[in-house]
Amino acid sequence: MEVGLVARLRASEAWLPALSLVAEIDGEIRGHVCLTRATVAGRPALALGPIGVPPEHKGHGIGAALMHAVLGAADALDEPLVALLGHLDYYPRFGFVPGSTLAVDPGVPDWVSHFQIRPLPAYTPDLAGGFRYAEPFYEE
Protein backbone atom coordinates (compact mmCIF):
# COMPACT_ATOMS: atom_id res chain seq x y z
CA MET A 1 0.00 0.00 0.00
CA GLU A 2 2.69 2.55 0.91
CA VAL A 3 4.58 2.04 -2.36
CA GLY A 4 1.39 2.71 -4.29
CA LEU A 5 0.62 5.77 -2.17
CA VAL A 6 4.09 7.21 -2.77
CA ALA A 7 3.70 6.64 -6.52
CA ARG A 8 0.33 8.43 -6.52
CA LEU A 9 1.71 11.27 -4.41
CA ARG A 10 4.71 11.66 -6.72
CA ALA A 11 2.33 12.02 -9.66
CA SER A 12 0.20 14.64 -7.89
CA GLU A 13 0.53 18.40 -7.53
CA ALA A 14 0.99 17.86 -3.79
CA TRP A 15 4.47 16.32 -4.26
CA LEU A 16 7.27 18.46 -2.82
CA PRO A 17 10.61 17.01 -3.99
CA ALA A 18 12.61 19.03 -1.46
CA LEU A 19 10.65 17.34 1.32
CA SER A 20 11.12 13.74 0.19
CA LEU A 21 14.17 12.30 1.90
CA VAL A 22 15.94 8.96 1.94
CA ALA A 23 18.47 7.53 4.38
CA GLU A 24 21.27 5.78 2.56
CA ILE A 25 24.03 3.76 4.20
CA ASP A 26 26.77 2.08 2.17
CA GLY A 27 24.84 2.64 -1.05
CA GLU A 28 21.67 1.00 0.28
CA ILE A 29 18.46 2.89 0.99
CA ARG A 30 17.56 2.27 4.63
CA GLY A 31 14.55 4.55 4.98
CA HIS A 32 12.31 7.15 3.39
CA VAL A 33 10.02 9.96 4.51
CA CYS A 34 8.03 12.53 2.62
CA LEU A 35 5.94 15.59 3.29
CA THR A 36 3.27 16.62 0.82
CA ARG A 37 1.11 19.69 0.43
CA ALA A 38 -2.04 19.66 2.51
CA THR A 39 -4.34 22.36 3.83
CA VAL A 40 -5.96 23.55 7.03
CA ALA A 41 -9.15 25.47 6.30
CA GLY A 42 -7.83 26.01 2.78
CA ARG A 43 -4.47 27.40 3.93
CA PRO A 44 -1.13 25.67 3.19
CA ALA A 45 0.09 22.99 5.58
CA LEU A 46 2.00 19.73 5.26
CA ALA A 47 1.18 16.06 5.68
CA LEU A 48 3.81 13.55 6.76
CA GLY A 49 3.81 10.11 5.32
CA PRO A 50 4.54 7.63 4.49
CA ILE A 51 7.69 7.13 6.52
CA GLY A 52 9.35 3.76 6.45
CA VAL A 53 12.40 1.86 7.59
CA PRO A 54 12.75 -1.84 6.71
CA PRO A 55 12.23 -4.07 9.76
CA GLU A 56 15.82 -5.31 9.71
CA HIS A 57 17.08 -1.72 10.07
CA LYS A 58 14.70 -0.50 12.76
CA GLY A 59 16.04 0.42 16.17
CA HIS A 60 19.15 2.17 14.84
CA GLY A 61 17.83 5.74 14.82
CA ILE A 62 17.18 5.93 11.08
CA GLY A 63 13.51 6.88 11.46
CA ALA A 64 14.35 9.51 14.08
CA ALA A 65 17.06 10.99 11.86
CA LEU A 66 14.62 11.18 8.96
CA MET A 67 12.00 12.84 11.17
CA HIS A 68 14.42 15.47 12.45
CA ALA A 69 15.71 16.16 8.94
CA VAL A 70 12.31 16.53 7.29
CA LEU A 71 10.92 18.69 10.11
CA GLY A 72 14.02 20.89 9.89
CA ALA A 73 13.59 21.19 6.12
CA ALA A 74 9.92 22.16 6.53
CA ASP A 75 10.89 24.77 9.12
CA ALA A 76 13.56 26.18 6.78
CA LEU A 77 10.84 26.62 4.14
CA ASP A 78 8.67 28.57 6.64
CA GLU A 79 5.92 25.99 6.65
CA PRO A 80 3.47 26.38 9.56
CA LEU A 81 2.71 22.81 10.57
CA VAL A 82 3.01 19.13 9.78
CA ALA A 83 0.17 16.68 10.39
CA LEU A 84 0.10 12.89 10.44
CA LEU A 85 -1.81 9.84 11.43
CA GLY A 86 0.48 7.84 13.64
CA HIS A 87 1.42 5.96 16.76
CA LEU A 88 0.62 7.92 19.90
CA ASP A 89 3.72 6.67 21.72
CA TYR A 90 6.21 7.48 18.94
CA TYR A 91 5.49 10.88 17.38
CA PRO A 92 5.13 13.05 20.52
CA ARG A 93 8.93 12.78 20.97
CA PHE A 94 9.18 14.95 17.84
CA GLY A 95 6.79 17.59 19.18
CA PHE A 96 3.54 16.20 17.76
CA VAL A 97 0.37 16.85 19.75
CA PRO A 98 -3.23 15.74 19.19
CA GLY A 99 -4.79 17.81 16.43
CA SER A 100 -7.66 18.72 18.73
CA THR A 101 -5.29 20.67 21.01
CA LEU A 102 -4.69 23.10 18.12
CA ALA A 103 -8.29 23.02 16.84
CA VAL A 104 -7.36 21.10 13.70
CA ASP A 105 -9.66 18.26 12.68
CA PRO A 106 -8.80 15.56 10.11
CA GLY A 107 -12.37 15.41 8.82
CA VAL A 108 -12.60 11.62 9.11
CA PRO A 109 -13.98 10.48 12.48
CA ASP A 110 -11.94 7.26 12.50
CA TRP A 111 -8.73 9.30 12.20
CA VAL A 112 -9.27 11.66 15.15
CA SER A 113 -7.65 9.40 17.78
CA HIS A 114 -4.31 9.18 15.91
CA PHE A 115 -4.29 12.56 14.15
CA GLN A 116 -1.36 14.63 15.36
CA ILE A 117 0.08 18.04 14.56
CA ARG A 118 3.62 19.40 14.85
CA PRO A 119 3.51 23.20 14.88
CA LEU A 120 6.63 24.79 13.38
CA PRO A 121 7.97 28.30 14.17
CA ALA A 122 5.85 29.84 11.36
CA TYR A 123 2.66 28.46 12.97
CA THR A 124 0.08 30.93 14.29
CA PRO A 125 -2.95 29.97 16.40
CA ASP A 126 -5.38 31.25 13.77
CA LEU A 127 -4.42 28.27 11.59
CA ALA A 128 -7.32 26.06 12.66
CA GLY A 129 -10.17 24.12 11.13
CA GLY A 130 -10.48 21.19 8.79
CA PHE A 131 -7.32 19.43 7.63
CA ARG A 132 -7.21 18.04 4.12
CA TYR A 133 -4.56 15.63 2.86
CA ALA A 134 -3.58 15.47 -0.82
CA GLU A 135 -6.12 13.52 -2.87
CA PRO A 136 -4.02 10.32 -3.12
CA PHE A 137 -4.52 9.76 0.63
CA TYR A 138 -8.24 9.31 0.01
CA GLU A 139 -7.86 6.90 -2.90
CA GLU A 140 -7.80 3.15 -2.40
Side-chain angles (χ1 to χ4, degrees):
M1 170 171 153
E2 286 189 359
V3 172
L5 176 58
V6 171
R8 291 190 308 274
L9 287 168
R10 287 179 61 93
S12 78
E13 293 181 12
W15 187 252
L16 302 169
L19 298 175
S20 175
L21 308 176
V22 297
E24 182 181 322
I25 300 172
D26 298 328
E28 181 183 332
I29 293 178
R30 303 283 175 95
H32 172 260
V33 65
C34 65
L35 297 177
T36 52
R37 180 59 60 211
T39 60
V40 173
R43 293 170 55 194
L46 295 172
L48 188 142
I51 180 170
V53 175
E56 65 272 18
H57 298 297
K58 288 187 178 194
H60 300 287
I62 296 168
L66 285 167
M67 285 295 297
H68 288 298
V70 81
L71 291 172
D75 178 21
L77 294 173
D78 290 324
E79 294 288 346
L81 65 79
V82 175
L84 60 77
L85 289 172
H87 200 282
L88 300 174
D89 291 332
Y90 183 74
Y91 292 100
R93 71 185 76 183
F94 302 106
F96 283 86
V97 297
S100 61
T101 64
L102 298 177
V104 178
D105 182 273
V108 176
D110 288 348
W111 293 354
V112 172
S113 65
H114 287 78
F115 182 69
Q116 301 171 62
I117 301 288
R118 169 57 151 80
L120 298 171
Y123 167 81
T124 57
D126 66 320
L127 186 58
F131 182 84
R132 182 81 184 159
Y133 283 95
E135 283 306 313
F137 280 97
Y138 301 97
E139 299 169 1
E140 290 188 34

